[in-house]
Amino acid sequence: MAHLLSSSCAVNLPPAIKTYFRPRNKHTTSCLSSFASRTPPIFTSCRRTLQEPNFVYATATPISKELEHIPKSGSSTNSNGPISKPKRVMVIGGDGFCGWATSLHLSNKNYEVAVVDSLVRRLFDHQLGVDSLTPISSIQNRIRRWKALTGKTMQLYIGDICDFEFLSEAFKSFEPDVVVHFGEQRSAPYSMIDRSRAVFTQHNNVIGTLNVLFAIKEFSEECHLVKLGTMGEYGTPNIDIEEGYLTITHNGRTDTLPYPKQASSFYHLSKVHDSHNIAFTCKAWGIRATDLNQGVVYGVRTDETTLHEELCNRFDYDGVFGTALNRFCVQAAVGHPLTVYGKGGQTRGYLDIRDTVQCVELAIANPAKPGEFRVFNQFTEQFSVNDLAGLVTKAGKKLGLEVQTISVPNPRVEAEEHYYNAKHTKLIELGLKPHLLSDSLLDSLLNVAIQFKDRVDHSQIMPNISWKKIGVKPRAAPVQL
Ligand code: NAD
Ligand code: USQ
């Protein structure tokens, strides 16, 4: 796809960040040029030209000079003597919605955190002309602000995990005990725009994860992989969904097998491929892994992100990256009818972003055994799209909003009325205390939407990516100027 793109989001280098550059030759490409050859075309006016050779390949050292001497293992003491070594957690995708909240939470809990991110998600936003409802700071400023507020440091590696050389450097430099892997293209609609985005999504996600597996094998065999999967891997079967495995008796013989997968977008399919690759390497190489099959995440605030505006998390509401409940809250706030696709009986597992961070912490604190491929279904409640529209309408009324709902012709191919009963007990058994969807949470989400309603681009609300109309040619349609 090298012909497709000649753009980059130039990474501005604050003086305090040490970076290293790699000369370009035919074998080595920079993080951004690797995206330039992999990301699909831009159709917006923000096209920029790559400036060679002075773009950032990766930041391989701590964010500021005074942090350069952070010891590899915790050597601090308290009045009772030396404290135990904090775990070193590499958060891949740590600049994203789930990853940023998780990085802060783990840092707050005294884990040593390294954020690894290519910033490609910020590039998608530029390409599609979409933006977070909430203003978000650069990752460098986020990390600096966190240090200023708490004294806690995070290391930052900017690069593409599909570039194995970059990933190897990050592994060798940080020596993680745990890798939490959020770093994927995570939008189903994005993966259904056109051929090049479908290919990008599967390449980015499957090869990125494969590289992480090889890096663990090569540099950090004991490392526990905590990988974000998705409930959408299972689809909507007409039987109960188990946590990863199903015991089947067939022709008189019984076995426990991976639960059947019926994903319904090229994105969701990339997660299925990831799960198979991880399961295989656990068996073949003895890797220890936890696949967190997460449901749809809602909310934006966590204890840490609310400490300062520069720590604020992203809040997607557009038709490509926005997810159901968050979208409905923004729609209610700006007087747009709630966009229920089709009949609205589509039922999924949902969870609060505060529970995402809690679940990841629980998975880290209770690691898988060597060779074990563990699967947890990570959600707290099930709702249909109609249920969500009803809840937002009720909560909106209390705030004096007049909320309407429309049925939009479903742009996706999915069951609109179906059985859905998914097990989700394993994280509860480990100690998860769910934040269930309450009136007060809806109230607070609606208030965030109202606070930033002037930032809403109304032209980005309606869905315009059709599962059936996906074509070979790059599509300009998703960009609305
Ligand atoms: P996001 O788009 O906000 O964040 C993903 C981050 O990963 C971005 O910062 C992006 O720049 C980075 N990234 C992508 N490809 C990369 C690469 N090759 N190298 C380095 N960094 C890369 O997404 P999110 O909502 O935070 O989702 C995080 C993970 O959780 C994804 O794997 C997603 O599939 C999973 N998940 C999300 C939800 C949800 O509702 N948001 C639900 C279930 C599962
Ligand atoms: N939907 C509407 N109206 C909208 C938006 C969505 O009716 O305005 C419907 C969709 O058709 C779908 C359901 O709501 O049936 C959920 O859609 P979504 O956009 O909220 O979430 P989805 O595309 O499934 O993807 C999100 C994340 C993805 C994650 C997944 C978890 O973007 O990264 O993997 O949730 S799960 O759904 O369990 O697979």
Side-chain angles (χ1 to χ4, degrees):
M1 281 193 290
H3 61 289
L4 287 176
L5 180 70
S6 61
S7 82
S8 80
C9 271
V11 180
N12 294 320
L13 295 181
I17 296 174
K18 261 180 80 181
T19 59
Y20 70 87
F21 303 91
R22 258 194 324 185
R24 276 170 58 75
N25 62 33
K26 65 181 176 161
H27 301 296
T28 55
T29 51
S30 79
C31 137
L32 291 175
S33 72
S34 102
F35 277 119
S37 62
R38 296 200 299 112
T39 44
I42 287 182
F43 293 104
T44 64
S45 55
C46 74
R47 186 182 284 264
R48 287 191 237 157
T49 316
L50 267 182
Q51 290 164 6
E52 296 180 85
N54 286 333
F55 43 81
V56 178
Y57 165 64
T59 59
T61 48
I63 187 92
S64 60
K65 286 207 166 126
E66 66 270 28
L67 305 182
E68 278 169 16
H69 304 297
I70 295 176
K72 284 269 188 250
S73 56
S75 58
S76 47
T77 52
N78 62 20
S79 53
N80 302 320
I83 56 172
S84 61
K85 177 187 168 194
K87 279 199 172 132
R88 301 175 65 80
V89 185
M90 174 181 278
V91 182
I92 302 177
D95 186 45
F97 171 57
C98 300
W100 176 235
T102 302
S103 300
L104 287 175
H105 180 74
L106 294 176
S107 177
N108 205 19
K109 297 278 175 173
N110 293 323
Y111 288 95
E112 280 181 28
V113 173
V115 166
V116 175
D117 204 298
S118 59
L119 310 183
V120 70
R121 178 54 215 283
R122 293 181 187 246
L123 176 61
F124 300 150
D125 287 1
H126 287 306
Q127 289 182 333
L128 298 179
V130 300
D131 201 358
S132 163
L133 172 77
T134 47
I136 51 171
S137 294
S138 69
I139 184 65
Q140 292 86 351
N141 285 342
R142 283 173 155 185
I143 291 176
R144 264 199 218 98
R145 176 58 59 192
W146 178 243
K147 171 144 199 310
L149 288 170
T150 64
K152 293 173 192 289
T153 57
M154 284 185 206
Q155 295 189 36
L156 174 61
Y157 299 85
I158 297 176
D160 178 356
I161 61 164
C162 292
D163 175 348
F164 189 68
E165 208 173 322
F166 159 73
L167 188 64
S168 308
E169 290 301 324
F171 260 76
K172 284 188 273 184
S173 151
F174 184 67
E175 299 177 4
D177 301 311
V178 183
V179 172
V180 183
H181 180 16
F182 292 104
E184 301 207 326
Q185 191 301 99
R186 70 107 176 116
S187 157
Y190 186 94
S191 74
M192 301 300 292
I193 293 175
D194 54 29
R195 185 201 65 86
S196 61
R197 266 90 168 198
V199 171
F200 172 83
T201 299
Q202 295 217 343
H203 180 105
N204 187 63
N205 297 0
V206 178
I207 305 305
T209 298
L210 206 49
N211 280 349
V212 171
L213 292 166
F214 272 96
I216 291 175
K217 178 174 189 290
E218 185 76 20
F219 307 113
S220 221
E221 250 179 331
E222 284 300 303
C223 182
H224 176 205
L225 172 63
V226 177
K227 164 69 169 52
L228 271 290
T230 177
M231 286 301 294
E233 292 182 38
Y234 302 118
T236 53
N238 199 29
I239 55 171
D240 292 349
I241 294 174
E242 303 298 322
E243 294 198 67
Y245 297 92
L246 181 64
T247 301
I248 301 174
T249 300
H250 178 62
N251 292 345
R253 300 183 66 81
T254 300
D255 203 351
T256 297
L257 301 168
Y259 195 95
K261 306 288 170 82
Q262 301 185 78
S264 63
S265 73
F266 290 120
Y267 153 71
H268 286 99
L269 282 160
S270 74
K271 297 295 217 188
V272 175
H273 302 322
D274 282 346
S275 295
H276 289 319
N277 284 344
I278 300 168
F280 170 70
T281 57
C282 287
K283 220 182 267 176
W285 304 338
I287 282 179
R288 50 172 90 212
T290 304
D291 204 0
L292 296 174
N293 281 344
Q294 187 170 234
V296 188
V297 185
Y298 58 78
V300 66
R301 290 186 164 141
T302 62
D303 288 348
E304 293 83 15
T305 63
T306 45
L307 289 177
H308 191 278
E309 60 185 23
E310 275 193 309
L311 302 181
C312 186
N313 206 350
R314 65 181 311 130
F315 187 134
D316 300 308
Y317 67 89
D318 59 273
V320 181
F321 287 100
T323 49
L325 182 57
N326 280 6
R327 264 166 72 68
F328 287 174
C329 288
V330 171
Q331 292 166 0
V334 299
H336 191 289
L338 309 188
T339 53
V340 168
Y341 297 166
K343 293 183 183 150
Q346 301 93 308
T347 304
R348 302 284 183 271
Y350 287 80
L351 75 162
D352 189 306
I353 183 78
R354 290 172 295 175
D355 290 339
T356 295
V357 305
Q358 223 194 124
C359 290
V360 171
E361 190 193 353
L362 284 168
I364 293 172
N366 301 278
K369 297 185 198 76
E372 186 185 9
F373 177 64
R374 253 182 355 180
V375 183
F376 297 161
N377 291 348
Q378 180 168 314
F379 70 96
T380 58
E381 290 172 281
Q382 293 185 182
F383 297 103
S384 71
V385 181
N386 284 331
D387 292 337
L388 295 179
L391 289 167
V392 172
T393 305
K394 200 168 128 221
K397 251 192 204 136
K398 283 198 204 144
L399 293 177
L401 300 170
E402 208 172 292
V403 185
Q404 315 261 314
T405 294
I406 46 167
S407 169
V408 175
N410 198 337
R412 307 185 182 200
V413 175
E414 60 184 359
E416 293 175 6
E417 288 171 321
H418 58 88
Y419 178 78
Y420 199 78
N421 184 32
K423 302 280 171 63
H424 55 110
T425 54
K426 291 189 181 171
L427 283 157
I428 300 280
E429 282 159 19
L430 288 180
L432 172 66
K433 303 267 176 291
H435 295 85
L436 299 180
L437 183 57
S438 62
D439 290 351
S440 62
L441 187 273
L442 276 173
D443 202 58
S444 130
L445 254 186
L446 281 165
N447 275 314
V448 173
I450 292 166
Q451 181 187 352
F452 293 108
K453 72 178 194 178
D454 291 345
R455 288 174 51 88
V456 174
D457 177 350
H458 291 241
S459 71
Q460 297 293 351
I461 290 179
M462 289 300 281
N464 59 9
I465 295 159
S466 159
W467 265 223
K468 288 202 170 133
K469 291 189 188 143
I470 186 169
V472 167
K473 287 189 184 152
R475 272 186 61 196
V479 178
Q480 296 168 3
L481 296 174

PDB file of all heavy atoms in Angstrom, residues 123-136:
ATOM      1  N   LEU A 123      -3.943  10.256  14.180  1.00  0.00           N
ATOM      2  CA  LEU A 123      -3.859  10.419  12.720  1.00  0.00           C
ATOM      3  C   LEU A 123      -5.202  10.075  12.052  1.00  0.00           C
ATOM      4  O   LEU A 123      -5.662  10.781  11.161  1.00  0.00           O
ATOM      5  CB  LEU A 123      -2.733   9.529  12.171  1.00  0.00           C
ATOM      6  CG  LEU A 123      -2.531   9.485  10.659  1.00  0.00           C
ATOM      7  CD1 LEU A 123      -2.186  10.866  10.096  1.00  0.00           C
ATOM      8  CD2 LEU A 123      -1.413   8.498  10.293  1.00  0.00           C
ATOM      9  N   PHE A 124      -5.855   8.984  12.505  1.00  0.00           N
ATOM     10  CA  PHE A 124      -7.176   8.648  11.928  1.00  0.00           C
ATOM     11  C   PHE A 124      -8.131   9.826  12.096  1.00  0.00           C
ATOM     12  O   PHE A 124      -8.915  10.134  11.201  1.00  0.00           O
ATOM     13  CB  PHE A 124      -7.844   7.460  12.640  1.00  0.00           C
ATOM     14  CG  PHE A 124      -7.100   6.159  12.618  1.00  0.00           C
ATOM     15  CD1 PHE A 124      -7.246   5.264  13.664  1.00  0.00           C
ATOM     16  CD2 PHE A 124      -6.290   5.798  11.556  1.00  0.00           C
ATOM     17  CE1 PHE A 124      -6.590   4.044  13.674  1.00  0.00           C
ATOM     18  CE2 PHE A 124      -5.629   4.581  11.554  1.00  0.00           C
ATOM     19  CZ  PHE A 124      -5.778   3.706  12.618  1.00  0.00           C
ATOM     20  N   ASP A 125      -8.111  10.433  13.299  1.00  0.00           N
ATOM     21  CA  ASP A 125      -9.016  11.555  13.547  1.00  0.00           C
ATOM     22  C   ASP A 125      -8.766  12.668  12.528  1.00  0.00           C
ATOM     23  O   ASP A 125      -9.708  13.207  11.944  1.00  0.00           O
ATOM     24  CB  ASP A 125      -8.827  12.113  14.969  1.00  0.00           C
ATOM     25  CG  ASP A 125      -9.399  11.198  16.041  1.00  0.00           C
ATOM     26  OD1 ASP A 125      -9.932  10.130  15.697  1.00  0.00           O
ATOM     27  OD2 ASP A 125      -9.306  11.552  17.237  1.00  0.00           O
ATOM     28  N   HIS A 126      -7.480  12.974  12.312  1.00  0.00           N
ATOM     29  CA  HIS A 126      -7.148  14.017  11.328  1.00  0.00           C
ATOM     30  C   HIS A 126      -7.640  13.601   9.948  1.00  0.00           C
ATOM     31  O   HIS A 126      -8.203  14.394   9.205  1.00  0.00           O
ATOM     32  CB  HIS A 126      -5.639  14.255  11.264  1.00  0.00           C
ATOM     33  CG  HIS A 126      -5.115  14.974  12.463  1.00  0.00           C
ATOM     34  ND1 HIS A 126      -5.615  16.179  12.899  1.00  0.00           N
ATOM     35  CD2 HIS A 126      -4.116  14.661  13.316  1.00  0.00           C
ATOM     36  CE1 HIS A 126      -4.958  16.567  13.980  1.00  0.00           C
ATOM     37  NE2 HIS A 126      -4.048  15.667  14.250  1.00  0.00           N
ATOM     38  N   GLN A 127      -7.404  12.357   9.605  1.00  0.00           N
ATOM     39  CA  GLN A 127      -7.769  11.893   8.261  1.00  0.00           C
ATOM     40  C   GLN A 127      -9.272  11.985   8.025  1.00  0.00           C
ATOM     41  O   GLN A 127      -9.716  12.353   6.944  1.00  0.00           O
ATOM     42  CB  GLN A 127      -7.313  10.450   8.062  1.00  0.00           C
ATOM     43  CG  GLN A 127      -5.806  10.308   7.943  1.00  0.00           C
ATOM     44  CD  GLN A 127      -5.396   8.860   7.703  1.00  0.00           C
ATOM     45  OE1 GLN A 127      -6.091   7.929   8.102  1.00  0.00           O
ATOM     46  NE2 GLN A 127      -4.270   8.675   7.063  1.00  0.00           N
ATOM     47  N   LEU A 128     -10.043  11.614   9.053  1.00  0.00           N
ATOM     48  CA  LEU A 128     -11.497  11.577   8.875  1.00  0.00           C
ATOM     49  C   LEU A 128     -12.158  12.899   9.245  1.00  0.00           C
ATOM     50  O   LEU A 128     -13.364  13.058   9.075  1.00  0.00           O
ATOM     51  CB  LEU A 128     -12.108  10.446   9.718  1.00  0.00           C
ATOM     52  CG  LEU A 128     -11.652   9.021   9.369  1.00  0.00           C
ATOM     53  CD1 LEU A 128     -12.313   8.011  10.291  1.00  0.00           C
ATOM     54  CD2 LEU A 128     -11.984   8.675   7.925  1.00  0.00           C
ATOM     55  N   GLY A 129     -11.368  13.821   9.786  1.00  0.00           N
ATOM     56  CA  GLY A 129     -11.946  15.114  10.184  1.00  0.00           C
ATOM     57  C   GLY A 129     -12.831  15.003  11.413  1.00  0.00           C
ATOM     58  O   GLY A 129     -13.751  15.795  11.596  1.00  0.00           O
ATOM     59  N   VAL A 130     -12.553  14.000  12.284  1.00  0.00           N
ATOM     60  CA  VAL A 130     -13.337  13.874  13.508  1.00  0.00           C
ATOM     61  C   VAL A 130     -12.472  14.271  14.701  1.00  0.00           C
ATOM     62  O   VAL A 130     -11.261  14.407  14.580  1.00  0.00           O
ATOM     63  CB  VAL A 130     -13.892  12.432  13.696  1.00  0.00           C
ATOM     64  CG1 VAL A 130     -14.785  12.046  12.537  1.00  0.00           C
ATOM     65  CG2 VAL A 130     -12.759  11.414  13.873  1.00  0.00           C
ATOM     66  N   ASP A 131     -13.122  14.462  15.840  1.00  0.00           N
ATOM     67  CA  ASP A 131     -12.369  14.890  17.024  1.00  0.00           C
ATOM     68  C   ASP A 131     -13.094  14.402  18.273  1.00  0.00           C
ATOM     69  O   ASP A 131     -14.311  14.188  18.255  1.00  0.00           O
ATOM     70  CB  ASP A 131     -12.285  16.432  17.031  1.00  0.00           C
ATOM     71  CG  ASP A 131     -11.133  16.944  17.886  1.00  0.00           C
ATOM     72  OD1 ASP A 131     -10.425  16.121  18.495  1.00  0.00           O
ATOM     73  OD2 ASP A 131     -10.960  18.169  17.951  1.00  0.00           O
ATOM     74  N   SER A 132     -12.334  14.272  19.325  1.00  0.00           N
ATOM     75  CA  SER A 132     -12.918  13.905  20.616  1.00  0.00           C
ATOM     76  C   SER A 132     -13.832  15.045  21.085  1.00  0.00           C
ATOM     77  O   SER A 132     -13.531  16.218  20.868  1.00  0.00           O
ATOM     78  CB  SER A 132     -11.772  13.703  21.612  1.00  0.00           C
ATOM     79  OG  SER A 132     -12.232  13.733  22.932  1.00  0.00           O
ATOM     80  N   LEU A 133     -14.937  14.677  21.732  1.00  0.00           N
ATOM     81  CA  LEU A 133     -15.818  15.705  22.314  1.00  0.00           C
ATOM     82  C   LEU A 133     -15.024  16.529  23.337  1.00  0.00           C
ATOM     83  O   LEU A 133     -15.136  17.756  23.386  1.00  0.00           O
ATOM     84  CB  LEU A 133     -17.001  15.028  23.025  1.00  0.00           C
ATOM     85  CG  LEU A 133     -17.889  15.954  23.838  1.00  0.00           C
ATOM     86  CD1 LEU A 133     -18.811  16.744  22.915  1.00  0.00           C
ATOM     87  CD2 LEU A 133     -18.696  15.184  24.880  1.00  0.00           C
ATOM     88  N   THR A 134     -14.235  15.829  24.128  1.00  0.00           N
ATOM     89  CA  THR A 134     -13.433  16.503  25.154  1.00  0.00           C
ATOM     90  C   THR A 134     -12.082  16.883  24.558  1.00  0.00           C
ATOM     91  O   THR A 134     -11.498  16.097  23.810  1.00  0.00           O
ATOM     92  CB  THR A 134     -13.192  15.512  26.318  1.00  0.00           C
ATOM     93  OG1 THR A 134     -12.776  14.274  25.746  1.00  0.00           O
ATOM     94  CG2 THR A 134     -14.431  15.300  27.146  1.00  0.00           C
ATOM     95  N   PRO A 135     -11.576  18.072  24.875  1.00  0.00           N
ATOM     96  CA  PRO A 135     -10.239  18.416  24.367  1.00  0.00           C
ATOM     97  C   PRO A 135      -9.203  17.518  25.030  1.00  0.00           C
ATOM     98  O   PRO A 135      -9.246  17.338  26.256  1.00  0.00           O
ATOM     99  CB  PRO A 135     -10.048  19.871  24.813  1.00  0.00           C
ATOM    100  CG  PRO A 135     -11.276  20.278  25.530  1.00  0.00           C
ATOM    101  CD  PRO A 135     -12.155  19.095  25.738  1.00  0.00           C
ATOM    102  N   ILE A 136      -8.299  16.946  24.236  1.00  0.00           N
ATOM    103  CA  ILE A 136      -7.277  16.086  24.847  1.00  0.00           C
ATOM    104  C   ILE A 136      -5.882  16.655  24.569  1.00  0.00           C
ATOM    105  O   ILE A 136      -5.592  17.139  23.487  1.00  0.00           O
ATOM    106  CB  ILE A 136      -7.371  14.612  24.383  1.00  0.00           C
ATOM    107  CG1 ILE A 136      -7.417  14.470  22.852  1.00  0.00           C
ATOM    108  CG2 ILE A 136      -8.564  13.926  25.019  1.00  0.00           C
ATOM    109  CD1 ILE A 136      -7.288  13.034  22.357  1.00  0.00           C
TER     110      ILE A 136
END
